[in-house]
Amino acid sequence: VKLGVKPPESSHRRILDTTGNSEKLKARIIEWNKGTSRPTYDEPYVLGRWSCSVTTVPQRASTSLSETLEALQAAGFDKLDLYVDSIQQLNLQLPGNVNNVTYRRNIRTYSHWYLTLAEMYMRDPYCQWYAIFQDDFVAVRNLKQYIEQSTAQLSVRHYLNLFTFMENETVAATARGWLPAYCDKNGRQLGRGAVGLVLPHRAVTELLSSRHMIDRRQDSVRGHRSLDGAVVEAMNSAGFKEYIHSPSLLQHTGEQSSMGNPWNTPNRYPFAKTFPGKDTDAMTFL
């Protein structure tokens, strides 16, 4: 600049901002999605592509993890990545729907979940849906296919909570299908449970860029807790709504919360009252 010579554009600007590269990316998106039935200029995702992960700890290998992985396979999630919050190897014969296993060094629930979502996005930033599950539940069958076919009518700014319990059961009692989650008297959603969350592409980019999600780690009381509350607060602040389902699509199977939250009885995690059973075919809800 001092010599009167304009500096070259940085590489990221060449990729993101120049007309030529924008048009190339748009053409790729149209090719991926086999047409222009959805916007190609604001959300560069591949129609129908999923990234799916399960977060766990080694202790669950001998209790609920196997049942959860089997339930996800029956639900249609045939490609999963497993993220373990420990360097201790899992003592478990993994089913065929598990692709990769990543180990971390005891960073605890909140950080483990956030880094898992970030890695899912960094490995494949072009998915339409990102599903992140905990390790102690069963599910209705054909759940993935049902989500693909039942969510087109939802607003663009949404994410899905597949586990319906506590205050959300009052919402689920009055209607069927996808419903906005319960709001308190101030109009805030509570984000009850993060057993299974499905985040559309735009929700992931908003969540990972949320200042609230970063600052929450510094909270001296909740820095490792209340993941569900952190997610819903960040999403609501960005104009996204949490949707739950009636009936519940997942059922929690763990007798204890991994965080030791003292719900109705000491350390007992509550269950969904509307779960229809793991042999229920979700496609019958259409």
Side-chain angles (χ1 to χ4, degrees):
V1 174
K2 289 182 179 179
L3 297 174
V5 177
K6 182 180 179 181
E9 291 183 314
S10 66
S11 61
H12 72 276
R13 286 193 176 183
R14 285 200 299 273
I15 293 170
L16 296 179
D17 294 342
T18 62
T19 301
N21 281 287
S22 297
E23 290 303 312
K24 288 178 183 178
L25 178 59
K26 181 177 179 180
R28 289 182 66 189
I29 297 167
I30 293 172
E31 180 183 358
W32 291 337
N33 294 312
K34 297 180 174 60
T36 56
S37 59
R38 52 160 298 281
T40 57
Y41 50 85
D42 59 341
E43 288 188 84
Y45 62 70
V46 181
L47 195 66
R49 183 184 287 183
W50 287 76
S51 176
C52 308
S53 295
V54 175
T55 60
T56 191
V57 292
Q59 298 91 313
R60 292 288 169 88
S62 60
T63 57
S64 60
L65 180 58
S66 291
E67 184 179 39
T68 294
L69 296 177
E70 291 173 4
L72 285 172
Q73 195 160 30
F77 296 95
D78 55 353
K79 294 181 180 179
L80 296 169
D81 290 326
L82 199 58
Y83 289 84
V84 186
D85 189 21
S86 174
I87 59 172
Q88 177 186 338
Q89 300 293 298
L90 288 177
N91 184 21
L92 179 67
Q93 183 67 40
L94 296 172
N97 59 333
V98 175
N99 289 334
N100 303 296
V101 182
T102 299
Y103 293 89
R104 297 199 174 101
R105 191 179 293 272
N106 290 330
I107 58 175
R108 301 180 67 179
T109 301
Y110 183 87
S111 300
H112 185 46
W113 189 96
Y114 183 89
L115 288 182
T116 295
L117 182 63
E119 185 163 340
M120 291 166 67
Y121 177 77
M122 292 302 173
R123 287 186 179 277
D124 190 345
Y126 297 115
C127 292
Q128 184 178 2
W129 287 288
Y130 295 79
I132 183 166
F133 299 99
Q134 294 181 6
D135 56 8
D136 51 358
F137 67 87
V138 292
V140 294
R141 293 187 296 111
N142 295 320
L143 174 56
K144 180 182 172 185
Q145 184 181 3
Y146 175 69
I147 292 171
E148 292 173 340
Q149 296 190 24
S150 65
T151 55
Q153 79 283 4
L154 300 183
S155 64
V156 172
R157 291 181 173 268
H158 76 275
Y159 74 98
L160 309 177
N161 185 343
L162 306 181
F163 180 51
T164 303
F165 80 123
M166 294 183 72
E167 290 90 348
N168 285 327
E169 289 175 334
T170 63
V171 177
T174 61
R176 289 291 180 266
W178 295 108
L179 307 163
Y182 175 87
C183 292
D184 65 15
K185 62 182 179 181
N186 296 315
R188 298 175 302 185
Q189 294 184 313
L190 303 178
R192 293 301 194 186
V195 177
L197 300 180
V198 174
L199 300 151
H201 185 274
R202 184 178 296 184
V204 173
T205 57
E206 289 283 359
L207 196 61
L208 291 178
S209 60
S210 166
R211 179 64 183 266
H212 174 74
M213 293 294 288
I214 299 297
D215 289 347
R216 176 60 175 272
R217 180 62 186 85
Q218 302 173 46
D219 191 311
S220 60
V221 176
R222 300 184 299 168
H224 290 298
R225 296 176 178 268
S226 302
L227 166 66
D228 48 6
V231 170
V232 77
E233 186 169 344
M235 288 280 84
N236 282 179
S237 295
F240 285 73
K241 292 295 183 183
E242 179 186 83
Y243 277 76
I244 55 95
H245 194 275
S246 176
S248 182
L249 301 170
L250 304 182
Q251 179 62 286
H252 194 267
T253 58
E255 290 294 321
Q256 275 192 314
S257 164
S258 60
M259 294 302 300
N261 292 322
W263 303 103
N264 296 326
T265 57
N267 295 333
R268 183 180 177 86
Y269 203 95
F271 302 104
K273 295 178 180 178
T274 62
F275 182 68
K278 64 181 182 179
D279 294 326
T280 301
D281 187 342
M283 298 301 288
T284 62
F285 301 147
L286 290 175

